[in-house]
């Protein structure tokens, strides 16, 4: 049984985390690899997309760009496409950006998007890992795609977060520059950042100004690079943070074993990319929640372990 729970998982968004504890969870890159990583970043951001499919030529993107970063899970993307089309007001601005590390996953996601007539961009081969890979993918999207269309609003989604009811980003952002899920798990005093898996920006924010890389100086995960560039000086009245609601199905307090997360009504699985080795298989519980939101035309998808 899945029930709402006001008790957060252990260590989630812990604002009292120490520098030492943060570094244990987020090991900074080795100094000897600094130049190598800088060169990889430089080349990646200047590389063209491996493949681009834009049905209709992208005419809707001047209104909104909603960028989903795919990673090795066509099953997640198929369900996300279905629920975005069913529930999201800005569905015409939805684009799948493929950061997959496995060629067979890229082929499956590309073919899925082609069959369903969903805009698809295959990102360059990304040689960074985990948070650094995700942050670099987001920076490519901001600097090589969003700047081209200059939408009135833009935002970013993880591949494992799904709207479960009617939703408009524009309505949530009325009068705001920023909207999304706030993270506070940093030892930087007063520090916070938007989790890039659910983060949205008014079109007046320059995409070139943004940096979604992890910040090892300020001890923040991917998205934390925006703290010194944008978030720190942003007027609090121009920011709207999403509400979080925990959905418990396990007996413990582990974030990726016992819970799912609802973010302003969007269902987030967490760890779909298996950056952390799964301890249990959560497919059955998660599929049950998706089916409640999927309607009569929901897809019949064979899920990989979750």
């Amino acid at each position: 049984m899945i029930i709402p729970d006001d008790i957060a998982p252990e260590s989630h968004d812990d604002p009292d985390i120490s520098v030492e504890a943060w570094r244990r969870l987020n090991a900074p890159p080795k100094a000897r690899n600094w130049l190598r990583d800088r060169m990889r970043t430089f080349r990646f951001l200047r590389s063209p997309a491996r493949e681009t499919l834009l049905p209709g030529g992208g005419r809707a993107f001047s209104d909104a760009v909603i960028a989903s970063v795919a990673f090795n899970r066509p099953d997640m993307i198929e369900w996300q496409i279905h629920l975005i089309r069913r529930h999201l007001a800005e569905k015409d601005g939805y684009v799948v950006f493929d950061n997959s590390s496995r060629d067979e996953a890229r082929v499956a996601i590309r073919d899925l998007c082609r069959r369903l007539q969903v805009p698809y961009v295959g990102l360059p081969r990304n040689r960074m890992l985990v948070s650094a890979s995700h942050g670099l993918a987001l920076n490519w999207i901001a600097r090589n795609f969003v700047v081209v269309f200059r939408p009135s609003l833009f935002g970013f989604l993880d591949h494992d977060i799904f709207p479960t009811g009617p939703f408009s980003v524009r309505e949530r952002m009325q009068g705001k520059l920023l909207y999304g899920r706030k993270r506070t798990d940093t030892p930087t005093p007063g520090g916070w950042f938007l989790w890039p898996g659910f983060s949205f920006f008014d079109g007046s924010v320059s995409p070139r100004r943004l940096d979604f890389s992890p910040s090892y100086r300020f001890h923040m995960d991917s998205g934390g690079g925006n703290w010194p560039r944008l978030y720190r000086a942003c007027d609090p009245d121009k920011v709207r943070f999403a509400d979080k609601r925990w959905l418990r199905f396990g007996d413990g307090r582990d974030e990726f074993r016992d819970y799912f997360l609802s973010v302003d009504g969007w269902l987030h699985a967490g760890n779909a990319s298996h950056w952390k080795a799964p301890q249990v298989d959560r497919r059955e519980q998660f599929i049950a929640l998706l089916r409640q939101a999927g309607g009569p035309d929901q897809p019949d998808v064979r899920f990989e372990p979750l």
Side-chain angles (χ1 to χ4, degrees), residues 9-220:
E10 292 177 344
S11 302
H12 177 82
D13 281 0
D14 181 7
D16 298 319
I17 191 171
S18 66
V19 171
E20 294 74 20
W22 190 92
R23 285 178 173 167
R24 283 196 298 272
L25 295 170
N26 305 271
K30 293 180 173 59
R32 67 175 181 269
N33 294 333
W34 180 85
L35 181 59
R36 179 203 68 185
D37 290 346
R38 291 284 293 179
M39 290 301 297
R40 287 179 175 177
T41 297
F42 180 87
R43 290 177 184 138
F44 182 88
L45 292 177
R46 287 157 180 80
S47 295
R50 297 176 70 183
E51 190 165 0
T52 300
L53 306 172
L54 298 181
R59 288 187 294 272
F61 299 147
S62 63
D63 183 58
V65 170
I66 308 296
S68 177
V69 181
F71 190 80
N72 293 339
R73 295 294 301 257
D75 51 351
M76 292 286 169
I77 291 297
E78 185 163 0
W79 260 101
Q80 190 179 68
I81 289 170
H82 175 74
L83 291 174
I84 288 282
R85 285 178 161 175
R86 182 174 177 82
H87 295 304
L88 184 64
E90 295 78 14
K91 59 182 178 293
D92 290 341
Y94 174 79
V95 189
V96 173
F97 290 87
D98 198 348
N99 195 39
S100 296
S101 60
R102 302 200 311 259
D103 288 339
E104 64 272 21
R106 285 194 177 235
V107 170
I109 293 169
R110 180 203 61 198
D111 291 350
L112 170 68
C113 290
R114 179 181 286 136
R115 174 169 59 84
L116 297 178
Q117 291 291 288
V118 172
Y120 169 90
V121 178
L123 294 177
R125 178 65 68 191
N126 194 333
R127 300 182 67 186
M128 306 298 279
L129 300 174
V130 197
S131 294
S133 169
H134 191 197
L136 188 56
L138 294 165
N139 286 346
W140 190 100
I141 297 165
R143 299 176 193 185
N144 292 282
F145 192 90
V146 177
V147 294
V148 173
F149 293 98
R150 292 187 281 184
S152 59
L153 69 84
F154 60 96
F156 304 91
L157 299 171
D158 262 14
H159 61 166
D160 60 350
I161 189 166
F162 309 84
T164 59
F167 192 92
S168 170
V169 175
R170 195 176 304 280
E171 288 181 5
R172 299 281 172 151
M173 290 194 67
Q174 289 293 333
K176 306 298 183 183
L177 282 177
L178 312 174
Y179 163 61
R181 178 191 153 195
K182 182 182 184 182
R183 283 187 57 176
T184 57
D185 48 327
T186 171
T188 297
W192 60 268
F193 59 102
L194 293 182
W195 172 55
F198 191 81
S199 59
F200 303 92
F201 303 82
D202 182 79
S204 63
V205 176
S206 170
R208 296 188 185 278
R209 182 182 178 186
L210 300 176
D211 181 8
F212 292 94
S213 302
S215 174
Y216 296 100
R217 177 183 176 188
F218 293 101
H219 306 104
M220 298 179 182

